Amino acid sequence: MSTSDSRPARVGVQLQPQHATYSQIRRACAQAEELGADVVFNWDHFFPLYGEPEGKHLECWTLLAAFAEATERVEIGALVTCNSYRNPQLLADMARTVDNISDGRLILGIGSGWFEKDYEAYGYEFGTAGRRLDALDRDLPLITGRLAQLSPPPTRHIPVLIGGGGERKTLRIVAEHADIWHGFGDAQTVGHKHEVLDQWCVKAGRDPLEIERSAGVSAKDPAGSAEALFAVGTRLFTYGVAGPAYDLAPLRDLITWRDEHNKA
């Protein structure tokens, strides 16, 4: 069903907040907007995921508030927030605040968490993958409920993006709670996940086309991987890049592909 999605192709960039100063990240954020990206993401970790393990790293949500002030047009969000790191009621308030700062450009990207070093260093219980997914399932309604109580309210329905590909739990949670699903892998892998997600949507009583499909693209061949992913129903394509240099040339290529594709 997702292959019949009439949405146009959109392009995102994940500016990984590692190995860089804030001024370098801010410059890349402004450049991404100037190039024509639709979404600028960061991620929610406390240490670099690769490179020097104790290298420079900045926190996700305070950085998103800065993105909101540094840009005017692009949507912004985390790819993705770790549900375990913040009380769900507090996270809702943070999301509402960044939504207001950005005049309605926030995407609430969220997942169950996986990077054990973050948990150990900051004193969070790591537990098991299953229990972290159960917590995400429990907390998403709490986030939605708190958003409905806040004053001033969000400026719009804040889209919820859920990342992860587990077929028994994660995709069920996506079907029940998400506006966007972000997956990983090549077109064949992602296409299979789409089929599973479509089945969960039917069980949840939702039209599968209500959920926009998102995936990362290859930095070596962004347009080629985007074309293959588009054919299986993906509509939001994200290029990930680390600091400090933030090479946005592949993003430029991806934006060119998007514009040509959407004209056709």
Side-chain angles (χ1 to χ4, degrees):
M1 292 183 183
S2 59
T3 54
S4 62
D5 191 346
S6 62
R7 292 178 181 90
R10 300 200 298 153
V11 166
V13 60
Q14 184 190 54
L15 301 177
Q16 300 159 1
Q18 57 179 0
H19 309 304
T21 64
Y22 171 65
S23 62
Q24 290 168 323
I25 298 171
R26 188 186 189 282
R27 191 178 308 119
C29 182
Q31 184 181 3
E33 179 171 63
E34 184 178 349
L35 288 173
D38 297 293
V39 189
V40 176
F41 292 110
N42 62 8
W43 69 25
D44 190 18
H45 295 289
F46 304 127
F47 301 94
L49 295 188
Y50 49 89
E52 169 53 49
E54 302 300 324
K56 294 184 179 72
H57 200 285
L58 294 177
E59 192 276 329
C60 170
W61 276 88
T62 43
L63 191 57
L64 284 177
F67 281 6
E69 281 290 333
T71 59
E72 297 180 351
R73 178 191 57 79
V74 292
E75 289 189 294
I76 57 175
L79 193 62
V80 289
T81 302
C82 176
N83 180 61
S84 308
Y85 298 165
R86 299 163 192 86
N87 173 285
Q89 314 271 357
L90 172 61
L91 179 59
D93 205 342
M94 293 165 62
R96 180 280 310 254
T97 300
V98 174
D99 168 79
N100 273 259
I101 294 169
S102 67
D103 291 326
R105 294 183 286 120
L106 177 73
I107 294 171
L108 177 53
I110 193 166
S112 60
W114 63 272
F115 190 40
E116 190 169 3
K117 180 177 180 178
D118 284 347
Y119 286 81
E120 291 179 348
Y122 279 67
Y124 299 120
E125 180 183 354
F126 187 59
T128 65
R131 293 185 68 177
R132 293 193 301 276
L133 279 166
D134 290 341
L136 177 64
D137 196 17
R138 176 199 67 211
D139 290 346
L140 282 165
L142 297 176
I143 292 168
T144 302
R146 178 56 58 186
L147 285 171
Q149 298 176 48
L150 294 169
S151 180
T155 65
R156 64 168 181 171
H157 166 73
I158 299 175
V160 173
L161 177 155
I162 296 178
E167 297 181 14
R168 291 187 299 117
K169 282 190 175 183
T170 303
L171 293 182
R172 174 187 61 78
I173 295 169
V174 171
E176 294 175 356
H177 298 288
D179 302 288
I180 307 169
W181 172 68
H182 185 84
F184 310 90
D186 60 17
Q188 182 178 2
T189 300
V190 170
H192 168 71
K193 301 293 184 182
H194 286 175
E195 293 175 0
V196 176
L197 177 55
D198 289 349
Q199 293 166 9
W200 278 118
C201 285
V202 171
K203 292 178 182 178
R206 291 188 71 186
D207 181 348
L209 292 176
E210 291 179 18
I211 300 175
E212 183 178 16
R213 313 303 167 93
S214 168
V217 299
S218 164
K220 294 181 179 179
D221 184 17
S225 62
E227 189 68 42
L229 287 163
F230 189 95
V232 298
T234 304
R235 295 297 180 264
L236 174 56
F237 308 88
T238 298
Y239 161 65
V241 57
Y246 292 110
D247 177 13
L248 298 185
L251 174 64
R252 186 181 292 108
D253 294 342
L254 189 58
I255 289 168
T256 298
W257 169 84
R258 176 204 66 192
D259 293 345
E260 293 174 352
H261 193 281
N262 287 343
K263 284 181 187 175

